Amino acid sequence: MEHLINTQVKNIQISGIRQFFNRVAQFPDAIQLTIGQPDFPTPEHIKEAGKKAIAENKTGYTKNAGLDELCLAATNFIEFKYKLTYNPKTEVITTIGASQGIDIAFRTILEEGSEVILPGPVYPAYEPIIKMCGGIPVYADTRETGFKITAKQIESLITSKTRCVMLPYPSNPTGCILTKTELAEIAQVLQDRNVFVLSDEIYSELVYGQKHYSIASFPGMKEKTIIINGLSKSHSMTGWRVGFVFAPENIAKHMLKVHQYNVSCASSISQWAAVQALTKGVDDASAMRGEYEKRRDYVYDRLVSMGIEVVKPEGAFYLFPSIAKFGLNAEEFAIRLLEEGKVACVPGSAFSGYGEGYLRLSYAYSMEILEEGCNRFERFIATL
């Protein structure tokens, strides 16, 4: 019966991140630097809120868009943090993680043949969803622009079929951000065009030494922008699966239909925990952010001391060093690093062809693990 499976689904590959993560299971003595998951536990007050919800039998369905209390908390949070105003009754949807938010956004705005401009290298989950919607991913090569998509690149790639521009910043896998000036230049290109912007801001609370800005804050942009955010990274709640979509009502009302028939609603227990996170835990990310910054500085300095070319990330918790000088492709290097050096990193090729020649290293691990990982990495490259 496999010949009857949807062709677009058959042609999709399992994420390169997960493929490599699964390979690591065969090497229990390897240092694991692959997965983008905070190593901090969910804050206690949030866990207690989840327990309380269970004890009080708050375990039934909620409104499709989420609890009124949570929608209000989410819109208050994004206004307090980023000066963005959304109506909690009509312009926010609580999703099952940011991933489901991305899915319903693309399924709402894309049709057969719609083009989506996105930076390469980029998080690998976007392209499969675009293709399953009948869309066409169109990549901007950001390797010569500090891994940042530019207004000039976007303008050169726009066609009559362009339906959306993807702005995933702070970036997974590079940790790069777009500055206020860079966003303003992109807004200038897009504000008078009938093109959506899907802005994945899941790492917005993990920006170092400066503020996070959203493209939706610029004149003429909120009306066409769909913001994706959530609590996985900011509040170390990956397994709770709570994300948010913020969009103008005339867009959100259509996404809500897709969401409704897709999942009905997010977990009620997780939603009550999320209310706590966004009210009593507004600044929970602060301590984690400070620790990540120390880790970033340590690993970055170690790589530079080894003679490795790497852009210093300004957000998220990844470094994306070049390994091109070693004469191995990204997958070959990563496999040998794992098998011989006993360090697991994700080959850059998992993040599109534009990631070839690079390696993604997550520093969402303790300093002890990072120190040993860097020591092993240094010993390994000395053998090449």
Side-chain angles (χ1 to χ4, degrees):
M1 298 296 286
E2 187 179 358
H3 66 287
L4 299 178
I5 298 294
N6 184 312
T7 303
Q8 291 173 331
V9 174
K10 282 200 293 185
N11 290 338
I12 288 171
Q13 301 297 315
I14 297 296
S15 161
I17 302 174
R18 284 291 168 179
Q19 286 184 39
F20 210 79
F21 178 76
N22 294 338
R23 180 189 287 265
V24 175
Q26 303 169 36
F27 298 87
D29 56 342
I31 292 289
Q32 169 77 264
L33 303 177
T34 58
I35 296 297
Q37 174 166 263
D39 65 318
F40 301 98
T42 302
E44 287 298 324
H45 70 103
I46 298 173
K47 292 192 285 189
E48 288 302 320
K51 294 175 188 177
K52 186 170 183 283
I54 295 171
E56 295 179 355
N57 295 314
K58 294 179 177 179
T59 56
Y61 291 125
T62 70
K63 290 182 177 179
N64 296 131
L67 295 165
D68 289 340
E69 294 90 338
L70 181 53
C71 290
L72 178 61
T75 53
N76 284 345
F77 183 88
I78 201 170
E79 183 171 21
F80 173 70
K81 291 286 186 175
Y82 314 122
K83 304 297 186 289
L84 295 167
T85 303
Y86 289 92
N87 187 328
K89 297 184 183 300
T90 58
E91 297 184 322
V92 57
I93 301 170
T94 305
T95 58
I96 302 180
S99 298
Q100 197 235 340
I102 294 164
D103 180 57
I104 65 170
F106 277 139
R107 288 208 278 161
T108 300
I109 65 176
L110 298 184
E111 296 178 303
E112 194 73 31
S114 297
E115 294 179 352
V116 179
I117 297 172
L118 62 167
V122 74
Y123 180 56
Y126 305 131
E127 181 176 316
I129 300 173
I130 292 167
K131 288 182 174 179
M132 283 192 287
C133 293
I136 302 168
V138 177
Y139 284 97
D141 184 352
T142 66
R143 291 172 296 184
E144 300 301 321
T145 55
F147 297 124
K148 301 182 181 190
I149 196 169
T150 68
K152 185 177 180 180
Q153 286 176 320
I154 292 171
E155 190 165 30
S156 71
L157 293 172
I158 288 177
T159 71
S160 60
K161 294 181 179 180
T162 303
R163 184 66 59 89
C164 179
V165 174
M166 184 84 216
L167 295 181
Y169 295 96
S171 164
N172 174 6
T174 69
C176 291
I177 68 167
L178 291 180
T179 65
K180 186 176 182 180
T181 299
E182 291 162 342
L183 284 167
E185 292 170 352
I186 292 172
Q188 189 71 33
V189 169
L190 295 175
Q191 61 187 0
D192 294 325
R193 286 185 161 94
N194 290 322
V195 173
F196 290 104
V197 175
L198 185 56
S199 187
D200 185 351
E201 303 180 25
I202 189 65
Y203 294 97
S204 60
E205 283 295 281
L206 300 180
V207 174
Y208 310 115
Q210 52 195 299
K211 289 176 60 178
H212 169 77
Y213 291 95
S214 173
I215 190 74
S217 64
F218 293 84
M221 293 307 299
K222 182 180 176 183
E223 297 78 4
K224 62 186 66 182
T225 298
I226 300 167
I227 295 176
I228 304 294
N229 215 315
L231 301 181
S232 290
K233 317 301 182 182
S234 61
H235 290 76
S236 197
M237 293 177 67
T238 51
W240 296 80
R241 308 310 300 136
V242 179
F244 301 102
V245 172
F246 299 92
E249 181 179 0
N250 64 343
I251 302 172
K253 68 181 182 182
H254 296 295
M255 285 194 290
L256 185 60
K257 291 183 288 187
V258 179
H259 172 74
Q260 173 189 348
Y261 292 116
N262 181 214
V263 299
S264 186
C265 65
S267 158
S268 61
I269 298 160
S270 294
Q271 287 191 56
W272 283 112
V275 171
Q276 176 76 11
L278 293 176
T279 53
K280 304 300 183 182
V282 170
D283 292 317
D284 278 353
S286 179
M288 290 185 275
R289 182 171 58 244
E291 184 60 29
Y292 288 138
E293 188 170 9
K294 292 176 188 175
R295 298 173 183 182
R296 175 203 64 173
D297 291 346
Y298 172 77
V299 180
Y300 174 79
D301 289 343
R302 285 293 304 271
L303 290 173
V304 170
S305 72
M306 297 177 207
I308 301 293
E309 181 183 338
V310 60
V311 173
K312 190 171 188 177
E314 297 171 295
F317 36 58
Y318 309 105
L319 288 119
F320 203 62
S322 171
I323 44 90
K325 72 177 186 178
F326 296 107
L328 301 170
N329 69 37
E331 186 168 0
E332 290 171 339
F333 186 97
I335 290 172
R336 286 189 59 183
L337 176 62
L338 174 60
E339 295 179 348
E340 300 170 28
K342 298 298 187 288
V343 179
C345 296
V346 182
S349 51
F351 303 93
S352 83
Y354 296 98
E356 182 55 69
Y358 295 87
L359 202 66
R360 192 194 75 172
L361 184 159
S362 169
Y363 52 88
Y365 295 89
S366 70
M367 282 297 294
E368 181 181 10
I369 291 174
L370 293 174
E371 288 173 12
E372 178 61 21
C374 287
N375 291 340
R376 293 185 185 188
F377 187 92
E378 187 167 21
R379 289 196 295 268
F380 170 72
I381 63 173
T383 67
L384 298 178

